Each structure stands twice: as C-alpha cells, then as structure tokens.
Amino acid sequence: MEPLELLIIAVVAVAALAIILSRRSSYKSHVQQLAPAKPKRQLVVGTWSREEVAKHATADDLWLIIKDQASGVAKVYDVTDYVEEHPGGMAIMYNAGGDATEGFHGPQHPPTVHELLKDYCIGTLAHA
C-alpha cells in the first residue's frame, strides 16, 4: 500500500472511532437522564396537614401535594433534592408548599414521571 492510502485509511478509522465514541457518550448521557434521581437525604414519612406542607415552599425546602388519580388519595412529596434536576426548570416551584395536582398531571409529564415521584413520597395529606 502507498503511504497516502495508509494515511487515508488511518484518517477514516479515527473519524469512525470518534463518531462511535460520541454516540456512546450521548447514549450514556441519555440513559442517565432517564434514570430516576434518588433523594439525597433521609425523608421523614408521616401524615401532614396543609399548614405543615405550606411551610416548605422554597427551592431549598420544597414539598408538594399531588392527588393520585387512581386512588384519589392526596400524597405529600419532598422534592427538594429534585428541584435542580427538574427538566422544566423552576416551573416546579409554581405550587411550592401547596397542591400541584393539576400541573403534575398535565401533558408535559411523561408516564415515567409517576415512577420517579414514588421515591419522594413522604406520606399522605391529613384531612381537615
């Protein structure tokens, strides 16, 4: 083989390797985005009043009430550790410390978000 042919083959091989590695990196990043984030801190489970939930209404301490559509049970979620990872940015703060049922069940959330939310459940809402 001529040196020019070897050079061309080497360039093509390096380019192909670069494409493969970039796709692999992109795939890994995509898989990590799909993997549910886990709370970083210990969550205290119990029954919570609306007044107690309302005390947790900042990005550094965020609780939400979301009613389960199937059972009708209103559950309380401590999503503090998820705020920075929320794909919708700070939209997660719209109902901070309150009822986020309508927003949560909106068309912007894929079905997989229900599985992710389970990790943040800290109990149920007490009936007033």
Side-chain angles (χ1 to χ4, degrees):
M1 279 193 164
E2 295 292 320
L4 183 57
E5 291 174 322
L6 290 174
L7 179 61
I8 292 171
I9 291 171
V11 168
V12 170
V14 168
L17 182 59
I19 290 169
I20 290 168
L21 291 176
S22 72
R23 286 188 180 173
R24 181 177 176 195
S25 174
S26 174
Y27 174 76
K28 184 176 179 182
S29 173
H30 178 70
V31 168
Q32 287 172 339
Q33 288 174 355
L34 294 177
K38 300 286 184 194
K40 297 169 186 79
R41 59 198 174 112
Q42 184 70 29
L43 301 179
V44 178
V45 179
T47 301
W48 310 97
S49 68
R50 286 189 184 276
E51 293 76 22
E52 181 62 32
V53 174
K55 295 176 186 176
H56 304 273
T58 67
D60 295 328
D61 183 20
L62 178 59
W63 289 16
L64 299 172
I65 299 166
I66 301 173
K67 188 181 236 182
D68 182 87
Q69 288 184 318
S71 68
V73 174
K75 295 183 180 178
V76 179
Y77 299 88
D78 180 347
V79 293
T80 306
D81 291 338
Y82 186 69
V83 171
E84 290 184 21
E85 298 174 37
H86 184 246
M90 294 311 284
I92 196 169
M93 295 295 299
Y94 289 158
N95 299 107
D99 193 328
T101 302
E102 186 176 337
F104 177 77
H105 291 295
Q108 77 282 8
H109 288 134
T112 54
V113 77
H114 297 275
E115 286 300 313
L116 177 130
L117 195 61
K118 289 178 183 178
D119 291 328
Y120 296 91
C121 185
I122 58 169
T124 57
L125 184 65
H127 295 289

